[in-house]
Amino acid sequence: EMVMTQSPATLSLSPGERATLSCRTSQSVNWYLAWYQQKPGQAPRLLIYGASTRATGVPARFSGSGSGTEFTLTISSLQSEDFAVYYCQHYNGWPVTFGGGTRLEIK
Amino acid sequence: EVQLVESGGGLVQPGGSLRLSCAASGFTFKDHAMVWVRQVPGKGLEWVSVIGDNGDFTSHADAVKGRFTISRDNSRNTLFLQMNGLRAEDTALYFCAKASPRSSNYDGYFDYWGQGILVTVSS
């Protein structure tokens, strides 16, 4: 089964700063990688699919990059509403799996 | 507006059964694959089951294979998860989600999610 490793586990930054979140897969998933944001008490929200395509309504400050086994989610300038947990997910065959998450907290 | 509303959760004893439902609206349900994903409170996300748009394809995670069955009723725009032989480790918040497949095997990302329904397995 694919192993998804997200780093760091926790990222402490201030509003206005740039956030860089990493996701590594144990085997190549080509570009079949999605990113989700989850706030407390809410369902996950799709941010990015195809490694770099923003989902409908997602602000341009969110961007995704990478292919193969190394992926990055970048938030260019953090807003207060961006502090949440972020998960990556591969969809290169079943079972699809999620990373353990990165908690983005206010410094 | 896409809406997914789960129901049917609750407290059940080990070995017991529950049937979750997910009522869908705001999109053409019969044209889309659907999944169940679960989350232990405070922990990460785990895919549970997938079903193709017309029910011809289903797949389950190893952790639930042989105990859980996914199904759908396209005439009622409803997704189901029959859970038998429940264990303490099945305790989680269960989400239904609309899938956006990349292939004929329906593997894909999940673009809309319900708010989740809590299943607690305890004596």
Side-chain angles (χ1 to χ4, degrees):
Chain A
E1 182 173 300
M2 186 81 65
V3 176
M4 312 282 292
T5 304
Q6 289 189 242
S7 61
T10 303
L11 185 58
S12 299
L13 293 170
S14 300
E17 290 193 293
R18 181 184 186 89
T20 303
L21 287 67
S22 173
C23 176
R24 177 177 296 177
T25 62
S26 59
Q27 305 165 44
S28 174
V29 299
N30 297 299
W31 53 90
Y32 300 123
L33 194 286
W35 289 94
Y36 301 86
Q37 175 193 68
Q38 188 178 32
K39 297 179 180 179
Q42 296 185 17
R45 171 197 179 195
L46 176 69
L47 295 176
I48 300 284
Y49 61 92
S52 61
T53 302
R54 277 190 302 277
T56 303
V58 175
R61 64 180 180 273
F62 291 90
S63 63
S65 62
S67 65
T69 63
E70 300 275 350
F71 300 89
T72 301
L73 175 70
T74 301
I75 310 172
S76 58
S77 178
L78 284 166
Q79 306 297 304
S80 58
E81 61 267 29
D82 299 336
F83 292 93
V85 179
Y86 291 83
Y87 295 96
C88 59
Q89 175 228 334
H90 91 82
Y91 51 100
N92 191 42
W94 297 106
V96 303
T97 50
F98 294 86
T102 291
R103 179 177 305 276
L104 180 55
E105 63 177 28
I106 299 176
K107 187 172 182 180
Chain B
E1 177 194 7
V2 172
Q3 284 201 315
L4 298 167
V5 180
E6 302 93 341
S7 61
L11 175 64
V12 61
Q13 292 189 337
S17 297
L18 275 179
R19 188 194 198 200
L20 303 184
S21 299
C22 171
S25 61
F27 65 104
T28 307
F29 182 73
K30 66 181 177 64
D31 289 344
H32 294 277
M34 298 291 295
V35 299
W36 289 97
V37 175
R38 68 185 180 183
Q39 184 174 37
V40 174
K43 301 297 183 183
L45 300 165
E46 178 186 23
W47 166 73
V48 174
S49 302
V50 59
I51 187 166
D53 52 3
N54 62 8
D56 57 338
F57 173 89
T58 62
S59 183
H60 300 272
D62 285 347
V64 307
K65 202 168 290 184
R67 300 186 298 122
F68 289 13
T69 303
I70 190 171
S71 62
R72 65 191 295 160
D73 184 342
N74 285 346
S75 68
R76 293 165 53 194
N77 291 347
T78 304
L79 175 72
F80 302 101
L81 186 67
Q82 178 66 43
M83 304 186 294
N84 299 330
L86 282 160
R87 305 168 180 166
E89 55 265 36
D90 296 318
T91 295
L93 190 62
Y94 284 74
F95 297 97
C96 66
K98 172 179 166 289
S100 227
R102 71 163 187 92
S103 78
S104 58
N105 280 338
Y106 299 101
D107 47 338
Y109 55 89
F110 311 136
D111 51 4
Y112 293 94
W113 297 63
Q115 282 304 300
I117 190 77
L118 184 62
V119 171
T120 303
V121 185
S122 174
S123 55

